[in-house]
Amino acid sequence: MNAVPLDAPYLDTDADQLCFSLDLTERPALAERVVPLGGLDVRLRLLGASHQVFAGPVAETVACLHGAVKGLPETCTRHLPGWVYDFGATTRRLTPEEFSAEVARVLARATGAEHSLCGVFPGSPEAVTAVVVEAVEGPYGAAVVWRTWHTYPQNGQIVSTHSRLEAR
């Protein structure tokens, strides 16, 4: 799937502004895609330089949230009725050359994936939010795994997240 040009200003200016929530309802989306995987309708949603993924009992939001604690957890595990959800996040600051090369890899991976949603913001072809989702086999059966990338060209930061939802 090709990257979607997003008709919105790039507002999140630093990775440190991102927050994590599993309790939010839908936020206004700039782009959305529903992917049927592993018996679930997985909803991929781009919100500015942020994302939401709705899959089964999980409503994952990584976004700038007013009044929320800033920063993303390195890891988070939630045991939900019949499910286990794992989340992890990393933030890297790269040189301009490294940043451009990594954004190119993210765009290639997202646009080459069967199930993805990728948005590029006006003002910089390297201002990208991307989500890639796939079904995998886990020890208890099928699981759904998604990765996201949020890029900040003005300071060379890339936030990567990895989530897994597995039926138990």
Side-chain angles (χ1 to χ4, degrees):
M1 170 178 236
N2 289 333
V4 177
L6 299 174
D7 185 22
Y10 189 72
L11 297 177
D12 297 349
T13 58
D14 194 278
D16 294 341
Q17 295 178 1
L18 291 174
C19 306
F20 172 76
S21 175
L22 293 173
D23 303 319
L24 293 179
T25 58
E26 287 186 9
R27 312 300 268 191
L30 300 174
E32 181 172 3
R33 181 174 183 203
V34 178
V35 176
L37 275 179
L40 301 173
D41 283 336
V42 181
R43 294 176 54 215
L44 312 176
R45 307 179 82 242
L46 302 184
L47 324 171
S50 323
H51 79 266
Q52 283 187 309
V53 174
F54 292 94
V58 170
E60 176 186 286
T61 304
V62 171
C64 290
L65 304 170
H66 297 290
V69 175
K70 303 285 186 221
L72 300 176
E74 285 185 29
T75 62
C76 174
T77 298
R78 288 267 175 99
H79 295 272
L80 306 161
W83 300 90
V84 174
Y85 164 81
D86 289 303
F87 172 87
T90 60
T91 300
R92 296 179 298 153
R93 187 178 301 269
L94 305 170
T95 67
E97 297 78 21
E98 293 169 331
F99 181 84
S100 293
E102 186 62 21
V103 171
R105 280 191 288 277
V106 166
L107 285 168
R109 179 160 183 193
T111 58
E114 182 179 359
H115 304 296
S116 66
L117 183 59
C118 179
V120 178
F121 291 87
S124 173
E126 294 184 336
V128 172
T129 298
V131 185
V132 174
V133 62
E134 63 183 335
V136 297
E137 198 60 33
Y140 299 97
V144 178
V145 174
W146 59 93
R147 290 192 50 113
T148 74
W149 297 268
H150 307 260
T151 68
Y152 298 88
Q154 66 279 14
N155 56 22
Q157 290 177 310
I158 297 180
V159 175
S160 304
T161 72
H162 181 273
S163 303
R164 180 183 184 96
L165 179 64
E166 188 171 349
R168 293 290 167 112

